[in-house]
Amino acid sequence: PEKNIELAQCRGADGLLRASRYREILGRTRFIEVIQTTFAPLEPQHDHFHETLVRIPFRHVLTTNYDDILESAHKKIYPSTPRFFDIDEWEQSSVFQTTWVDPSTPRTYLHIHGSIRRPDSIVLCKEDYDARYVNDIRAQTLLTQIFTLQQVVFLGFGMTDEDLLAPPAPCSREPADLPAKAFHCSCKAPGPRGREPNANQLCRYVPCRAGLL
């Protein structure tokens, strides 16, 4: 009961600070259990909308989501096994950093904020952001290279993540002000049947080299 009162008192606080307080109150073990329950795979794991997204010919996909919905949709649409990892799996990120511009490199789903398969990798609290983007330059270096050198399409991304958007400052501007190299597409959740955006509609933002979901 006391913990419930403390948790209720956190409402209205800044999201990062609130998450930090939740972890402090619940303890790390219980906090991770809540995350695993919240982002556990659904059944069915994905829907038609996600299949539409993965059909868009992006070279690679960067996602801030913790789940593996896009990987699930990829498995349904393509015969190849999706290549995916978290950005803090540094050995794989290092290899990706030297090969992502090669057209022969298979599409990679890169989880920027970690994934549910590795709960300790998840970036949710203020301390997590600082550890990933302030105290360690590796993630920022990779993201800066991608955002600077490649065309990027933003789908369903709020453009409010200051830590993530710090390197590519131009990308925080409105779409009309963006340079030709960058695009911003706000893709809402699917509407009533028959009104979901299709691949042809979304592909008007292509050619591009990476998508950020």
Side-chain angles (χ1 to χ4, degrees):
E2 292 182 3
K3 286 188 176 181
N4 291 336
I5 293 175
E6 290 185 81
L7 291 172
Q9 292 174 342
C10 294
R11 293 173 183 169
D14 171 82
L16 296 180
L17 297 178
R18 185 167 67 249
S20 296
R21 182 61 177 146
Y22 285 164
R23 183 164 62 185
E24 179 182 342
I25 295 171
L26 295 174
R28 184 171 186 82
T29 300
R30 176 57 182 152
F31 184 75
I32 289 178
E33 289 175 354
V34 171
I35 291 177
Q36 290 176 313
T37 300
T38 302
F39 297 101
L42 301 175
E43 192 60 45
Q45 201 163 357
H46 68 271
D47 57 30
H48 173 72
F49 180 69
H50 301 111
E51 293 180 10
T52 299
L53 287 180
V54 301
R55 281 192 176 99
I56 303 175
F58 294 128
R59 179 177 292 177
H60 303 292
V61 175
L62 316 179
T63 179
T64 56
N65 292 349
Y66 308 134
D67 56 59
D68 60 354
I69 289 177
L70 295 177
E71 292 93 318
S72 172
H74 181 107
K75 293 176 183 177
K76 177 68 178 298
I77 300 302
Y78 301 107
S80 61
T81 301
R83 178 190 184 198
F84 60 90
F85 57 89
D86 302 332
I87 199 170
D88 70 327
E89 294 183 89
W90 301 120
E91 184 173 342
Q92 294 188 68
S93 284
S94 179
V95 173
F96 179 66
Q97 192 168 6
T98 61
T99 61
W100 60 271
V101 295
D102 185 343
S104 66
T105 300
R107 177 188 287 183
T108 295
Y109 293 86
L110 179 60
H111 288 262
I112 299 173
H113 287 346
S115 65
I116 192 62
R117 69 184 179 85
R118 296 174 62 245
D120 285 336
S121 72
I122 287 179
V123 173
L124 183 59
C125 304
K126 180 64 168 63
E127 296 83 359
D128 301 331
Y129 270 83
D130 289 344
R132 179 70 50 83
Y133 300 111
V134 178
N135 302 331
D136 193 319
I137 66 169
R138 288 175 291 185
Q140 285 283 26
T141 298
L142 175 56
L143 294 176
T144 297
Q145 289 181 350
I146 293 174
F147 291 155
T148 302
L149 300 176
Q150 294 295 305
Q151 295 169 327
V152 178
V153 173
F154 293 83
L155 299 173
F157 184 67
M159 307 298 284
T160 58
D161 194 327
E162 295 182 0
D163 292 287
L164 185 58
L165 292 176
C171 291
S172 62
R173 301 205 302 267
E174 290 301 312
D177 298 326
L178 291 174
K181 178 174 287 190
F183 297 82
H184 173 193
C185 171
S186 295
C187 192
K188 296 182 180 180
R193 183 179 297 274
R195 295 180 58 187
E196 296 92 339
N198 59 49
N200 289 332
Q201 292 173 323
L202 293 175
C203 280
R204 68 181 181 272
Y205 294 97
V206 177
C208 56
R209 299 295 181 266
L212 180 61
L213 309 177

